Amino acid sequence: MRLGAHLMRFDAVEPARLRQELADTADAAEHAGLSWLSVMDHFFQMEPAGFPASDPMLEAYTTLGFLAARTETVQLGALVTGVTYRHPGLLAKIAATLDVLSGGRATLGIGAAWYEKEHLALGVPYPPLAERFERLDETLQICRQMWTPGADGPFEGTHYRLAETLCSPLPLSRPGRGPEVLIGGSGERKTLRLVAQYGDACNLFATTPDEVAHKLDVLRGHCDAVGRDYADIRVTVLMGGDELLTGDVDGFVAAARPYAGLGVESVILRPPSTSLAAWVRDHVAPAVPRLADLG
């Protein structure tokens, strides 16, 4: 089992120090052997999670480009991009660029979007949920088409129409397919169906092992329905990892073990309100080899 970090808070240092803080965090992640670094794709900090909307929040793909320049091995992605935030042709181009400039280490994390406040505040259209899922389906089709060599013809959908799906340079990772696509969310009727149909990976909240086991059973059913091999989908979970803040690596490993038994490939941790670099170096790093022992 591999370990990653989700950089979702930027309030531990002043804005003038964020550049160095992120550079130090990237260095610490690589030194520790983390497999993943992600950021949120939000314009405001998340009020529903208990944070003021005015807390610092960095634009996702600018930040990922910076992290790409500071790393060599770690996989990079947004956890996850809201489908409403960027036109799908532009999003496919952005993801391809990140993949090229990172040397083939990009993941396109994507979901149906939910944070209405930031949409309304910045004038980003926020269609009803059913339409957002329709747009997510079409966006996934557009990305696959744009990343396929020679498939630069038009795309005609209900919500999006592209005259040309030219993407040059093409992504480096997985020639002919493009970056890994991770679909975030645990909705059983729509989200997990899209994972089965289009996704290379999924991300679930580590609520309880029983709940995650149920979600994975639902995903298996969707895979069977669309003729997809469930084993081809990389399963990740988002955890708090509070045990590591007190140095209780044994307790963290014990909490992660049931998820390893379910076939979860990666655990992704959320940071506390502290220096990101210090958190990775002092608290997350000691757990990397221990988690690897779980298989």
Side-chain angles (χ1 to χ4, degrees), residues 3 239-244 248-257 267 269 287 291:
L3 193 58
M239 293 182 68
D242 293 343
E243 301 90 347
L244 297 178
D248 185 9
V249 178
D250 288 341
F252 172 70
V253 172
R257 182 173 286 111
V267 169
L269 299 178
L291 212 63

Side-chain angles (χ1 to χ4, degrees), residues 274-291:
T274 185
S275 162
L276 294 173
W279 171 65
V280 170
R281 182 184 65 243
D282 300 334
H283 301 291
V284 178
V288 172
R290 294 288 305 280
L291 212 63

